[in-house]
Amino acid sequence: MKKGFVFDLDGVITDTAKFHYIAWKNLAKKLGITINETFNETLKGISRMDSLDKILAYGQRENEFTTAEKEALAQKKNDEYVKLLADLSETDLLPGVHDFLVQAKERNIPCSIASASKNAPMILEKLGVLDFFGHIVDPETLKKGKPDPEIFVKAAESINVAPKDAIGFEDAQAGIEGIKAAGMYAVGISATETLKGADFQVTSMTELDIEQLINQ
Ligand code: G6P
Ligand code: MG
């Protein structure tokens, strides 16, 4: 029986992926780089700085900026992203998420967040679900980002659950790989992508049966 749940945030709890995309697209445009949705898929689950590096490499401008300049560009992207989140509220939870969290709470199954986003606590607060999570891994404490398993192992251990007893929920390929490398059961959530390596894939959390899941 599974004993804990580890959730990615962007694309699993709420659809902030679209706002990341808008903010990156606008920043890239100012740099003369055009990104499309297919390229954007490769940014999901990837940290802010690594995303910027990928965009610069995509536009063949990777050697043109100092670290300080790149930090300023990443800050600019984040300023726009945070502005786009201004009106975020409970209504922006993805379908089935609130119900699932309530059911987990009723069964005393602890939940934690494994997101590369430094904005995670603020976003969860705006969505009104902060209290459902026993821990949010601080991405600043990580040596490596997804697809490395580190964030998922930390998230499971933070709620006192061994990775083999935990279920991870992800919308990104890098995340599914990290969950599997951590030795956890991986639930992929995506209506558009086939997530390779997921133990189970759904298009939305409304399709999940919590009893069936924990009795794996
Ligand atoms: C998540 C998203 C990525 C984002 C990263 C960092 O993993 O899927 O698209 O780049 O978080 O987010 P942040 O809010 O710290 O810029
Ligand atoms: Mg995600």
Side-chain angles (χ1 to χ4, degrees), residues 151-166:
I151 191 168
F152 296 104
V153 172
K154 277 199 171 157
E157 287 176 350
S158 73
I159 47 172
N160 300 314
V161 176
K164 70 171 178 44
D165 295 327

Side-chain angles (χ1 to χ4, degrees), residues 8 11 16 33-34 55 67 98 103-104 107 136 142 193 197:
D8 173 47
T16 39
I33 303 169
T34 307
I55 291 168
T67 304
H98 193 265
Q103 289 185 59
R107 289 166 176 78
I136 301 168
L142 302 172
E193 305 292 307

Side-chain angles (χ1 to χ4, degrees), residues 128-143:
V129 292
L130 190 58
D131 292 347
F132 284 105
F133 299 98
H135 188 77
I136 301 168
V137 176
D138 178 358
E140 302 268 21
T141 64
L142 302 172
K143 290 190 196 76

Side-chain angles (χ1 to χ4, degrees), residues 3 18 28 33 40 42 44 51 65 70 86 96 98 103 129 148-149 161 184 194 202 206:
K3 297 179 182 141
K18 64 185 177 209
I33 303 169
N40 188 54
T42 69
K44 288 187 177 174
S51 299
F65 301 92
K70 286 204 291 184
H98 193 265
Q103 289 185 59
V129 292
D148 192 274
V161 176
M184 294 162 55
T194 300
V202 289
T206 52

Side-chain angles (χ1 to χ4, degrees), residues 21 25 35-42:
Y21 180 46
K25 203 179 158 82
I35 62 169
N36 59 23
E37 289 195 38
T38 309
F39 175 78
N40 188 54
E41 281 303 314
T42 69

Side-chain angles (χ1 to χ4, degrees), residues 8-12 44-45 146 170-172:
D8 173 47
L9 173 68
D10 297 291
V12 169
K44 288 187 177 174
K146 300 172 188 178
E170 259 290 351
D171 69 315

Side-chain angles (χ1 to χ4, degrees), residues 8-11 16-17 20-21 24 40 43-49 51 74 77-78 81-82 85 114-120 123 139 146 170-172:
D8 173 47
L9 173 68
D10 297 291
T16 39
H20 278 296
Y21 180 46
W24 279 130
N40 188 54
L43 301 181
K44 288 187 177 174
I46 307 299
S47 76
R48 199 179 303 167
M49 266 320 220
S51 299
K77 180 265 173 181
N78 193 55
Y81 176 63
V82 170
L85 297 180
S115 168
S117 176
K118 295 178 189 168
N119 292 299
I123 291 171
K146 300 172 188 178
E170 259 290 351
D171 69 315

